Amino acid sequence: MPAQGAKSCYRAVVFLGPPGAGKGTQTRALAERLGVPYLSTGDMLRDHISRGTALGRQADAVVAAGELVPDELVNSMVGVWFKQQSDSNGVVLDGFPRTVNQARELDQWLGNNGPVVINFRVEYNELIQRLTGRRSCPQCRRIYNVYLKPPARDGFCDCDGARLTQRPDDDEQVIRERLAAYERQTRPLVEFYRQRTKFFEVDGNQPPETVTNQLCRILEGADVVCNQQ
Ligand code: AP5
């Protein structure tokens, strides 16, 4: 975490958008191009749940129901991660912040270097199709989609051959709850960030590579430089 006044080139990139908007897909692509670490609070919480930690036991039922985990639990979990990133020039954040309260906490950690915020817009029905069709590799965490981006061999990762899995909260009923939680608790955060200068919106309905290239152009304009691909 950058101390106040230190590392003036430090940049945090925050991805906002409803479940299924492509935040995880773009986070991995962009962190690679920027050469910085990334955080996925969803992955982190699922890891706690699978290991049965104290935090995982508190979060389990909340995540399964498609609701948001309380701010104090998420803030302290992410705070520990931030402290471990003191040597990096920036970070990409997927799934944090998700409430105005979490955004205020992030502001305190970042000091003078406010985040660059990207908001993805995607149609509701497209979100449902993306989430019901999503499959992930438990080893390398690559994301696939049985309808939109299938692996070469049905059910197995192209990269390491591991059997792909489906998230329990990608059940259609829970997806609708997650989308409702987004409207209630995260939509106000979009308006909070919209008032700021480093806020950008991206049409997330485009193909993933087009979105990544557009993100790089936006970030270069905001003085965050992507490596050429
Ligand atoms: P989290 O894991 O963050 O889930 P989410 O926000 O619901 O977002 P998703 O991961 O479902 O979607 P995504 O936007 O990353 O889309 P993806 O790239 O995978 O959170 C899970 C839960 O943890 C929450 O419900 C909550 O309980 C808890 N939680 C997490 N953070 C929290 C916080 N800060 N505070 C409180 N609680 C918190 O893509 C989806 C699919 O679409 C994939 O199959 C992909 O291949 C496909 N796809 C992606 N982009 C495109 C494209 N451009 N075109 C076509 N298909 C695409």
Side-chain angles (χ1 to χ4, degrees):
M1 180 177 7
Q4 290 224 354
K7 280 195 176 181
S8 62
C9 61
Y10 187 95
R11 276 281 173 265
V13 179
V14 167
F15 284 156
L16 290 182
K23 303 180 298 294
T25 302
Q26 296 302 329
T27 293
R28 286 164 186 78
L30 194 71
E32 204 171 285
R33 290 215 199 172
L34 292 173
V36 298
Y38 70 86
L39 166 82
S40 158
T41 42
D43 282 350
M44 219 180 237
L45 287 165
R46 283 185 287 279
D47 178 55
H48 276 278
I49 291 167
S50 71
R51 288 188 291 119
T53 66
L55 170 57
R57 289 195 300 278
Q58 287 174 280
D60 195 0
V62 183
V63 173
E67 290 162 11
L68 291 193
V69 174
D71 287 337
E72 56 277 16
L73 291 182
V74 174
N75 287 347
S76 77
M77 175 183 81
V78 178
V80 170
W81 182 86
F82 250 89
K83 284 198 185 109
Q84 295 163 349
Q85 313 309 318
S86 52
D87 291 337
S88 79
N89 286 327
V91 288
V92 182
L93 303 179
D94 163 18
F96 184 90
R98 233 171 169 111
T99 64
V100 171
N101 189 322
Q102 292 177 17
R104 295 210 166 101
E105 189 81 1
L106 177 65
D107 278 346
Q108 289 201 4
W109 297 337
L110 294 176
N112 296 328
N113 297 312
V116 178
V117 179
I118 310 280
N119 184 41
F120 295 101
R121 284 180 286 102
V122 179
E123 303 297 324
Y124 189 89
N125 288 338
E126 168 82 9
L127 296 172
I128 301 278
Q129 190 190 27
R130 286 185 183 184
L131 292 172
T132 51
R134 174 168 55 189
R135 302 291 182 272
S136 315
C137 174
Q139 280 182 27
C140 70
R141 300 197 183 281
R142 271 189 174 65
I143 302 171
Y144 298 88
N145 194 289
V146 294
Y147 309 118
L148 307 162
K149 190 189 166 205
R153 185 175 157 221
D154 191 25
F156 295 92
C157 181
D158 293 345
C159 188
D160 53 34
R163 185 180 286 278
L164 302 179
T165 56
Q166 183 171 22
R167 276 171 42 178
D169 63 347
D170 278 347
D171 163 85
E172 187 164 342
Q173 185 59 36
V174 181
I175 291 169
R176 292 188 189 278
E177 291 298 332
R178 287 160 57 202
L179 289 165
Y182 168 81
E183 290 300 328
R184 270 193 320 271
Q185 288 164 280
T186 308
R187 180 77 74 184
L189 179 60
V190 177
E191 300 315 313
F192 171 88
Y193 276 133
R194 198 187 292 281
Q195 319 299 327
R196 300 193 173 186
T197 49
K198 290 185 214 118
F199 175 89
F200 303 92
E201 288 200 292
V202 168
D203 176 4
N205 297 289
Q206 308 170 90
E209 299 72 25
T210 309
V211 175
T212 309
N213 289 333
Q214 191 175 344
L215 285 175
C216 282
R217 284 196 299 278
I218 288 173
L219 291 174
E220 278 162 14
D223 288 336
V224 184
V225 180
C226 294
N227 295 324
Q228 295 297 319
Q229 290 251 314

